[in-house]
DNA sequence: TATTGTTATACTCTATAACTATA
DNA sequence: TATAGTTATAGAGTATAACAATA
């Protein structure tokens, strides 16, 4: 029990006096992909909200706008499937986008709606996409182009049968 | 406008008659890391719920159990920080684990609690960890050991300053 | 005075079940 | 009869603000 251990204790105490604290033991967590994904997604979500979400557009709403633009006249049923949502869960989503004046429901036949962006929705989406591209650049700024492709490739191999 | 286009249309119709449908246009989404992360996390979450969640243990609750086991006597405040939760949000989490008989609050001083696993919590966690390791093997079954390490390395480089 | 845990409250996201209208 | 959208309702997860007790 010499100087070494004492120093360790001291530096621990000093660190805690500075408001830091000994790192928590994380157990098995760092071996789990899901744990890392959660941390990363938290950070991406926060950066998205800060840099893109000014108009109250979350990543999910942004995705819906993109899909409606890319598939004009899309039915709610089909969009719900694409977004892995129950069709009842999509209703308040479209309500919100319609209330913001970004999306329009147009009767396709008398029981189904085709979805379309309004002019305002198209304009806002253009701006959102610019901001999202900047956000994305920040997200991957520590990865080379090759690493970015590799990351997407590896993610695509995770539980591929389950999607 | 020859046989080619006609064939495409026909096969599209045939596919739709079989209950499939033309793939949706995804616009910019497949270029975004966040989009792929969402898909992957959905799939992992579903597999976890199916293969680990029998006792109503979500990935978040599992994480809390692991942290309490690895840091006996952990204070709620400290655990909330580690889990990126407000301390008020942690209260119902610990309530639930205590109601299940897995975790115990023991007064550390008269205003703070140290958290400990009960014997039952320790036993259940042992079983949960076995199931989580099997789940994790399924999650990465299409990745070599090298690819698994590479994936975790690349995830660690995403927005590292924001965590 | 600052910290710890708690409560009251509310908001987001999502699901299930039941209902209406219609294909 | 099956499908599209909606409504009512509920549950999980999380946050903010205010409060009591105590360091």
């Amino acid at each position: 029990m010499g100087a070494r251990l004492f120093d360790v204790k001291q530096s621990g105490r000093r660190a805690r006096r500075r408001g830091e604290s000994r790192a928590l033991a994380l157990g098995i967590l760092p071996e789990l992909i899901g744990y890392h994904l959660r941390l990363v997604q938290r950070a991406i979500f926060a950066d998205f909200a800060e840099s893109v979400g000014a108009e109250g557009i979350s990543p999910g709403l942004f995705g819906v706008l993109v899909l409606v633009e890319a598939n004009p006249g899309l039915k709610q049923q089909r969009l719900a499937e694409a977004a892995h949502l129950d069709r009842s869960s999509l209703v308040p989503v479209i309500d919100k986008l319609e209330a913001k004046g970004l999306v329009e429901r147009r009767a396709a036949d008398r029981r189904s709606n085709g979805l379309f962006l309004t002019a305002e929705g198209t304009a806002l989406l253009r701006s959102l996409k610019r901001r999202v591209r900047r956000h994305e650049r920040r997200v991957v700024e520590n990865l080379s182009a090759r690493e970015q492709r590799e990351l997407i490739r590896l993610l695509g191999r995770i539980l591929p049968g389950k999607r």
Side-chain angles (χ1 to χ4, degrees), chain A residues 88-101:
Chain A
S88 71
S89 302
L90 186 63
V91 172
V93 172
I94 304 300
D95 286 350
K96 182 185 267 186
L97 292 174
E98 212 169 29
K100 288 177 187 289

Side-chain angles (χ1 to χ4, degrees), chain A residues 61-74 79 97 102-104 115-129 133:
Chain A
L61 293 183
F62 173 75
V64 167
L65 290 176
V66 169
L67 291 176
V68 171
E69 183 187 52
N71 305 274
L74 189 59
L79 175 54
L97 292 174
L102 305 175
V103 160
E104 192 186 353
L115 300 175
F116 297 86
L117 292 192
T118 63
E120 193 186 343
T122 304
L124 178 60
L125 183 52
R126 185 156 40 235
S127 159
L128 289 172
K129 281 196 272 191
R133 282 191 208 97

Side-chain angles (χ1 to χ4, degrees), chain A residues 3 17 37-38 88 90:
Chain A
R17 241 181 275 124
L37 286 175
R38 269 165 84 90
S88 71
L90 186 63

Side-chain angles (χ1 to χ4, degrees), chain A residues 143-150:
Chain A
L143 301 179
S144 69
R146 195 202 135 276
E147 286 173 324
Q148 293 172 34
R149 284 193 303 276
E150 179 71 356

Side-chain angles (χ1 to χ4, degrees), chain A residues 28-46 139 143 150-160 163:
Chain A
I28 193 187
L29 298 181
E31 299 167 38
L32 305 178
I33 297 285
Y35 170 74
H36 295 280
L37 286 175
R38 269 165 84 90
L39 290 182
V40 167
Q41 206 169 24
R42 268 196 65 85
I44 290 182
F45 219 91
V139 165
L143 301 179
E150 179 71 356
L151 175 55
I152 289 181
R153 185 184 77 81
L154 294 175
L155 289 174
R157 286 179 168 264
I158 302 259
L159 286 176
R163 296 173 264 158

